[in-house]
Amino acid sequence: MYKFYQLKSGIKVLLVPYSSIQTVSVVVLVRAGSKYEKKETSGVSHFLEHMLFKGTKKRPNTIKIAEMIERIGGVFNAFTSTEYTGYYVKVASDFLGTAFEWISDIFFNSIIDAKEAKKERGVIIEEINMYNDDPMMKVQNLWRELLYKDQPASWPISGTKESVSRIDESVILKYLKKHYTGKNTLICVAGNFDALRVKKFIQKYFSSIAIGKENQKSPTIEGQRKPKTLFFQKSTDQTHICLGVRAYNIFHPQRYSLILLGQILGGMMSSRLFSEIREKRGWAYYINTGVEDETDCGYLLTRAGINNENTPEAIKIILEEYKKMASKKISPQELSKAKNHLKGSLAIALESSDALAMFYGVQQIIKNKIQRPEDIFKEVDKIKESDILKTAKDVFCPEKLNLAAIGPLKPPEKFKKILNAF
């Protein structure tokens, strides 16, 4: 059960009670992410997220901000995605009032000045360096660059060192004023709480938010006529690949068929690709297949770190499994396993108040619509073997196929030929 309402300021409120646990989580989500940015200030959403933990008038530095929650045994964090930014705090239920006062303080009263912005710029640039030094992370940025080229969907959420260097406190404050408004903000409270107390706290701490205008982003443009590749030559002990296909956005009716397809291919330790690449051949430590779906784009992606010598053959095997899925119905037993795994994983994941808050809150902020777990289970249960085959035939075709890779990759033409033969 959940309850949704909206304040006069436009701010949305979502209450998800769960009385059998002893914690409560407060999540504030803002419709502001990398897809809402301009190229010259790419990374500003993420930069702003960092700055809200640098200090307020009441708590003048990061240590004071952290101590307030840590001394009551709570946890907190923040994150930035392509379509939203989130801040959350999770505490024992008795400290709900403290959680609201704390999160509203950083949301409204953070001090964003030139001195702190300069220091945090250095921190973010080191974060970017860390991602660039990690081939598992960098190859995923290459993947989005390959798919979406020079548009917001391809830009790294943290920005680039060049764009972050151009962001100062004036840019951050302007972005905050434009995006952190009532019409773009959602508060989700989940766990063990009294609804009347929550309403009072929201009225007390968030009623002053400016109404603002609802954020608009440019739609992601997708277009492809043949397989595409993007390689980054690097002396590594294994080749890291992202191999997959363009697929569906979050509103697509075949979304759950696609998710089950990903589960069967590489979403479990007993999945096809885990079995073929890791268990039978010992060529990889990690290999998995998953689905990413956003409001205006989506894809199915197999990620792996493979022994350099065997990478070409591993790519062939992955593509062969794609072809099998698109040419023959899976067995009822395999479909049943994937369904149970999907439903069981979701049920286990939602046993904590912070996971509940994110599950319900993210749906509301990006879709303006919520599916409860039981609603999702019903949709999943409807899917037949023929639906999986239909979806596989739709997505596993040459004009949707892409490969991004980091490693020795010599000669790269060999890898292109493999894809072109699909």
Side-chain angles (χ1 to χ4, degrees), residues 56-111:
T56 69
K57 293 177 181 178
K58 188 173 183 179
R59 303 175 179 94
N61 55 54
T62 303
I63 300 300
K64 293 294 184 182
I65 287 174
E67 280 181 342
M68 182 64 201
I69 299 302
E70 290 174 347
R71 75 185 184 195
I72 59 173
V75 294
F76 65 90
N77 212 331
F79 50 86
T80 306
S81 74
T82 58
E83 302 196 56
Y84 55 89
T85 302
Y87 306 85
Y88 77 86
V89 55
K90 178 181 180 180
V91 296
S93 298
D94 291 344
F95 295 106
L96 176 62
T98 303
F100 264 107
E101 190 277 328
W102 178 88
I103 203 166
S104 66
D105 189 33
I106 66 167
F107 194 80
F108 290 111
N109 304 318
S110 287
I111 299 170

Side-chain angles (χ1 to χ4, degrees), residues 349-366:
L350 295 181
E351 288 183 338
S352 63
S353 62
D354 50 335
L356 277 171
M358 287 299 302
F359 175 78
Y360 282 90
V362 168
Q363 289 188 74
Q364 185 65 51
I365 195 75
I366 66 172

Side-chain angles (χ1 to χ4, degrees), residues 274-290:
F274 194 95
S275 175
E276 289 293 331
I277 302 296
R278 175 170 161 156
E279 294 306 306
K280 288 185 179 180
R281 293 171 174 81
W283 289 350
Y285 173 72
Y286 81 91
I287 179 164
N288 55 70
T289 303

